Amino acid sequence: MIDSRVRSVEEIKKPSGKQVLRAGECLINSDTYLPQNEDKLNEAFSVLSYWRFSYEKPLENALDKLQPAVKEIDEKAIFAKRLKRFPSIVLKLRRFPKMNLKNMQDIGGCRIVLGNSKKVAQVSRVLRKMPEFRWDDGFRIKDYIKEPKDDGYRSLHIVGRFPDLSGRDKKIEVQLRTRIQHYWATALEIIDLFTKQSLKTNQGQKMWSDFFINVSKQFAIMDNIHLFESLSDKDKKIQYISRLINDKESSESVLSICENTRNLKVADKLKAFANSLKIIGEELDTIGKEGYVLLEVNILNKSLTYTHFSEDESKEAQDIYTETEKITADKDSNVVVALVYANAVGGIREAYPNFFADSSKFSEHLEYIMSAENIFRQNFFAKLLKKANLADSWGDVSR
């Protein structure tokens, strides 16, 4: 039940720009979470609830505009939208002191997962022809595919403007990524979630960080193989390994991945996380209508519960979401909360596999890298042997 102290989006008046700014400042102040400041926390969450919900209509308008155009390029594209989670908002405000809640451009975000890098490029070109993505200074694009983030993250982000209920434009960030990039991002988020690291902000353990950076490089090689995902398992290995031969940098990367995979027991951990997560209610995949799902992952109890809301219950979903976030706002909380939406509720698992600890596709592609290890080790020792033989021959001549 919603705590009456955190008012619903219908009960509070539209906050002013200054109120939104103050709410953001309040939420990143650690004193706000002290018991004596509960009223301040409730008010800040109420403003956040209103401000964040104001992006719901622009998100809907963005998907309505994007889906027909994208499906002409990739009819199997996965569409998802989300309102930024409270912990992510706070973390971003703390990491970027010059940013504030009012000008944060990814409060509302759409994700489009496409079959391959060629389709990502095609969709990118289509988006740049749309007036919604044109700004006075050009386009607002961050191409993390050409220039990956330090942690290895690859995706293309482009910011557009879509109207809210009052007709005012709101910034909506659209993420374009390939399926292989999606598998990588999912696995990293699962490790962050279950081990309480922050690899996404370069604050995790070095061995894990090195592992994901190197895997990202190898996944990029797979992504650049024509129609890689449609190949047979055998052909995937052949095509992938053929790209690595005589590439010193790739061989070092592969050997590092294989070593870290064993030292970190990556396969065992990912499998254990998936097997340990008890999903309360199995009808999620059988619900055939669009809508919202409130997910609550309890890391301590290894359980996932969810509540389904129809599209016309979006306000109720947002209110319950905000209140649940307030309850779990403690940085040491073992509960992760998210309100998610996909183009079909049965596709929630596919769009957000991290919340289900589903890393099966990542593990499948990691196996291709592991299969290259013996070849590289053989080449490595062959080169050493060749050098040794040459040294012996030179010794014979000099004598």
Side-chain angles (χ1 to χ4, degrees):
M1 183 175 292
I2 302 174
D3 187 330
S4 59
R5 290 169 294 183
V6 177
R7 293 169 290 167
S8 75
V9 293
E10 292 178 308
E11 293 174 326
I12 65 173
K13 294 180 180 179
K14 178 182 176 181
S16 65
K18 288 184 179 179
Q19 285 177 303
V20 174
L21 292 174
R22 283 199 297 268
E25 293 167 358
C26 184
L27 291 171
I28 62 174
N29 187 338
S30 56
D31 289 346
T32 302
Y33 301 90
L34 297 174
Q36 61 266 34
N37 292 325
E38 188 175 6
D39 287 343
K40 281 187 177 180
L41 180 62
N42 287 331
E43 184 61 29
F45 263 99
S46 295
V47 173
L48 173 64
S49 179
Y50 188 104
W51 181 247
R52 188 167 55 181
F53 185 72
S54 70
Y55 284 80
E56 181 53 41
K57 187 62 179 177
L59 271 173
E60 181 184 327
N61 289 332
L63 270 186
D64 287 345
K65 177 80 175 184
L66 296 173
Q67 282 183 312
V70 173
K71 284 182 177 178
E72 288 186 10
I73 296 169
D74 188 348
E75 60 180 14
K76 293 183 179 179
I78 301 168
F79 297 87
K81 66 178 182 179
R82 64 97 181 99
L83 295 173
K84 199 171 186 70
R85 296 172 53 239
F86 157 73
S88 300
I89 290 173
V90 170
L91 182 60
K92 193 162 189 175
L93 289 174
R94 285 175 174 162
R95 286 177 60 215
F96 302 102
K98 292 182 180 180
M99 183 180 291
N100 60 61
L101 184 59
K102 189 180 177 184
N103 67 20
M104 191 177 289
Q105 66 182 24
D106 63 342
I107 295 288
C110 291
R111 177 184 297 160
I112 304 174
V113 183
L114 298 149
N116 53 53
S117 53
K118 182 180 178 181
K119 290 179 179 178
V120 168
Q122 287 177 311
V123 171
S124 173
R125 286 195 293 270
V126 168
L127 264 54
R128 278 181 275 189
K129 291 178 181 178
M130 294 180 179
E132 289 85 355
F133 292 95
R134 292 181 178 274
W135 298 78
D136 292 339
D137 55 353
F139 300 99
R140 298 191 180 180
I141 298 176
K142 290 183 179 179
D143 192 341
Y144 297 118
I145 297 176
K146 287 184 179 178
E147 296 182 18
K149 288 187 177 182
D150 292 340
D151 64 357
Y153 175 83
R154 296 170 193 261
S155 181
L156 191 147
H157 296 189
I158 180 168
V159 178
R161 293 169 293 187
F162 296 87
D164 61 15
L165 286 170
S166 61
R168 294 183 178 178
D169 284 341
K170 285 280 202 303
K171 297 174 186 175
I172 297 296
E173 182 182 82
V174 179
Q175 297 178 2
L176 306 178
R177 61 171 64 160
T178 67
R179 286 180 179 265
I180 293 178
Q181 289 161 358
H182 190 49
Y183 304 152
W184 180 92
T186 293
L188 183 138
E189 288 173 359
I190 290 170
I191 293 299
D192 268 0
L193 190 65
F194 282 85
T195 65
K196 289 200 167 184
Q197 295 187 69
S198 188
L199 294 165
K200 290 177 70 172
T201 57
N202 302 308
Q203 298 177 43
Q205 298 170 18
K206 188 177 186 309
M207 194 180 294
W208 275 113
S209 177
D210 290 344
F211 169 77
F212 277 106
I213 289 170
N214 281 311
V215 170
S216 174
K217 293 175 182 176
Q218 295 305 310
F219 276 19
I221 293 172
M222 298 178 199
D223 239 341
N224 287 324
I225 296 172
H226 184 57
L227 298 176
F228 183 80
E229 289 296 271
S230 64
L231 299 175
S232 67
D233 191 61
K234 180 181 178 181
D235 286 339
K236 283 179 180 178
K237 289 180 181 178
I238 292 172
Q239 290 282 343
Y240 165 61
I241 293 174
S242 68
R243 294 288 182 101
L244 306 182
I245 302 300
N246 299 321
D247 185 338
K248 182 181 177 182
E249 185 178 342
S250 287
S251 64
E252 291 175 352
S253 173
V254 166
L255 294 176
S256 173
I257 290 168
C258 294
E259 184 179 354
N260 284 340
T261 297
R262 284 188 289 270
N263 290 338
L264 293 167
K265 298 182 178 179
V266 174
D268 291 340
K269 281 188 171 69
L270 290 174
K271 189 178 292 184
F273 295 153
N275 292 339
S276 68
L277 194 63
K278 182 182 179 184
I279 302 174
I280 311 300
E282 293 295 334
E283 71 278 6
L284 182 63
D285 288 337
T286 65
I287 300 173
K289 57 184 179 180
E290 296 186 5
Y292 301 82
V293 177
L294 179 64
L295 299 171
E296 295 182 53
V297 183
N298 190 309
I299 308 302
L300 192 63
N301 297 335
K302 300 291 192 299
S303 65
L304 184 152
T305 59
Y306 61 85
T307 307
H308 175 255
F309 300 88
S310 62
E311 287 196 276
D312 58 5
E313 295 176 317
S314 59
K315 289 183 179 179
E316 180 184 355
Q318 173 65 22
D319 289 339
I320 295 176
Y321 177 36
T322 302
E323 176 55 26
T324 307
E325 282 189 310
K326 186 181 81 71
I327 294 170
T328 60
D330 188 336
K331 67 178 180 180
D332 295 321
S333 173
N334 288 299
V335 178
V336 177
V337 185
L339 183 66
V340 298
Y341 177 99
N343 48 317
V345 177
I348 289 290
R349 286 177 187 264
E350 197 172 14
Y352 300 95
N354 51 308
F355 293 116
F356 296 85
D358 183 0
S359 58
S360 55
K361 286 293 185 180
F362 173 84
S363 297
E364 179 184 306
H365 287 70
L366 179 60
E367 278 299 313
Y368 302 140
I369 301 173
M370 300 295 286
S371 68
E373 180 181 24
N374 287 337
I375 293 172
F376 281 128
R377 291 207 183 278
Q378 288 168 9
N379 286 348
F380 176 74
F381 287 117
K383 288 176 182 177
L384 284 181
L385 185 61
K386 186 177 180 181
K387 286 181 180 179
N389 289 337
L390 286 172
D392 289 343
S393 299
W394 176 252
D396 291 338
V397 171
S398 63
R399 284 194 291 270

